[in-house]
Amino acid sequence: MAKTFIKNALIINEGRSFKGSVLVDGLYIAGVYEENTSDGYNSIDRITGNDLKIIDASGKWLLPGCIDDQVHFREPGLTHKGDIKSESRAAVAGGVTTYMDMPNTNPQTTTLEELERKFQRAAEVSAANYSFFFGGTNTNAELISGLDRKRVPGIKLFLGSSTGNMLVDKEESLRRFFGETDLLIAVHAEKEEIIQRNRAYYISKYGENPDISFHPKIRSEEACYASSSEAVRLAEKLGTRLHIFHLSTAKELSLLDRGTLSERRITGEACVHHLWFCEDDYETFGNLIKWNPSIKTAADREALRNAVNDDTIAVIATDHAPHLLSEKEGSCLTAASGGPLVQHSLLAMLDMVADGIFSPEKIAEKMAHHPAELYKIDRRGYIRAGYYADLVLIDPEEPITVTKDNILYKCNWSPFEGYTFQHSVWKTFVNGIEIYSEGQVLENITGREIVYNHN
């Protein structure tokens, strides 16, 4: 396989930013060369060969490819909204080189057979590296012993309402999932009884079609904290590795472990939309920013941002969940929840860097390093010799405006449509292959199944 030499980039990696170059040889990073060091540019003279491609990245930023631990690519069964091919292409266009897909498809990924079908499909069409969560139900806990720990990131449990029968609310089932595996348990935590109580109250007071402003009142802080705290109590009792997806409230942050990531048993994730939007934005964006859990107050957003910076929150992801625009119509009770984000997640976070909210090193940590460490992914998430060459080059001087013409989601809309990001993705490499360059996804199918090194 050909070699690629990316020279003169600003490399953002492992808490540092430095001028340097990277040699890619086949699937892997063969060398990282820092300018003006003994193993730096003096070594470049030895990098030659007829098969060597040189990319001058002067003025560009080089980051490890993002690892998104929560996406809904909608295949199988919901492919009018998105599919593995379309959404993985959008991912690499956004600098996301690895994703973990959720189980609430049709059919659901709640049997070993359906899990294997997803792996087979991704191997055929995915532009990015891939993995799939196994979905728990009230009736399938006996299957967890058959999961291959090197292939599965964890078990996803919906502790609030979800597609079909995926609400896990029976005490016996929860105890089995939390107590009979050392795989990570990832949860969507909203208390269904509280949601239904709130729903009934606001319908009785305001009618059958309350507008979007009522969404965070119905799917409230109370609903989130009640469910999250119950999950934490059970995890602490049974010694479970618990990861709480898409935290949306300041109150829930008190539930998370602190300290070294490898030592934490209770971890949490923030999503881009909860870090970017707040409830004041419902007036402008309406149902386009309707997610579950709901976007909440500006104070909650500020607390989540602070928790990223002080390392209370372990990772940043998207909960990418495309719907057709027609499915986003209606009241806060009838409009679909979720939206497409994976193509614009890194750019949104880098805009927050430009606004002084985060550092670029923190973004690399939360979107690449920490997902790799949390899930114990084999040789990904860092710019290191011997690691897979999953890389993204950012042009910090080339703004891009989101339009219908450059949106790659199958649903063909974005809550960022019309917005101009201050940075753009210049090139993306997956397993050493340049899969995205200057606005075009190449037709190479480069995604590989990721492997986990569980102890």
Side-chain angles (χ1 to χ4, degrees), residues 272-329:
V272 173
H273 48 283
H274 290 123
L275 296 169
W276 183 281
F277 298 106
C278 72
E279 66 180 3
D280 298 337
D281 295 311
Y282 286 122
E283 184 175 354
T284 301
F285 294 95
N287 293 340
L288 296 184
I289 60 169
K290 184 190 175 192
W291 270 274
N292 297 338
S294 62
I295 290 165
K296 296 183 174 66
T297 68
D300 286 311
R301 179 180 64 182
E302 184 66 16
L304 292 171
R305 290 173 172 180
N306 290 338
V308 169
N309 281 322
D310 70 16
D311 292 331
T312 301
I313 284 175
V315 300
I316 295 171
T318 64
D319 193 18
H320 172 86
H323 297 282
L324 300 184
L325 277 174
S326 60
E327 295 170 325
K328 296 291 286 183
E329 296 174 354

Side-chain angles (χ1 to χ4, degrees), residues 95-163:
V96 175
T97 55
T98 299
Y99 62 87
M100 302 174 196
D101 187 64
M102 295 296 107
N104 53 332
T105 48
N106 184 20
Q108 299 157 346
T109 318
T110 54
T111 67
L112 301 182
E113 292 76 16
E114 289 303 326
L115 180 64
E116 183 59 34
R117 287 190 184 97
K118 274 193 172 181
F119 279 115
Q120 292 174 357
R121 179 59 177 161
E124 295 169 352
V125 299
S126 183
N129 303 313
Y130 52 87
S131 193
F132 299 95
F133 273 86
F134 182 77
T137 72
N138 281 326
T139 59
N140 73 345
E142 73 280 358
L143 298 179
I144 58 179
S145 62
L147 295 174
D148 186 338
R149 300 171 74 254
K150 286 188 173 295
R151 303 186 74 196
V152 178
I155 299 168
K156 171 68 179 291
L157 300 181
F158 289 88
L159 306 184
S161 59
S162 183
T163 306

Side-chain angles (χ1 to χ4, degrees), residues 154-212:
I155 299 168
K156 171 68 179 291
L157 300 181
F158 289 88
L159 306 184
S161 59
S162 183
T163 306
N165 69 334
M166 293 197 72
L167 173 61
V168 182
D169 57 357
K170 294 188 182 303
E171 184 71 18
E172 179 184 357
S173 299
L174 287 170
R175 284 185 171 275
R176 291 197 65 184
F177 282 117
F178 276 68
E180 295 183 11
T181 181
D182 58 358
L183 283 170
L184 179 145
I185 302 292
V187 297
H188 177 139
E190 292 183 283
K191 189 74 170 176
E192 185 65 18
E193 294 90 331
I194 296 174
I195 292 170
Q196 292 304 322
R197 184 188 70 203
N198 292 342
R199 179 187 176 105
Y201 171 78
Y202 285 105
I203 287 175
S204 69
K205 193 168 183 180
Y206 297 102
E208 293 287 337
N209 296 300
D211 66 39
I212 188 60

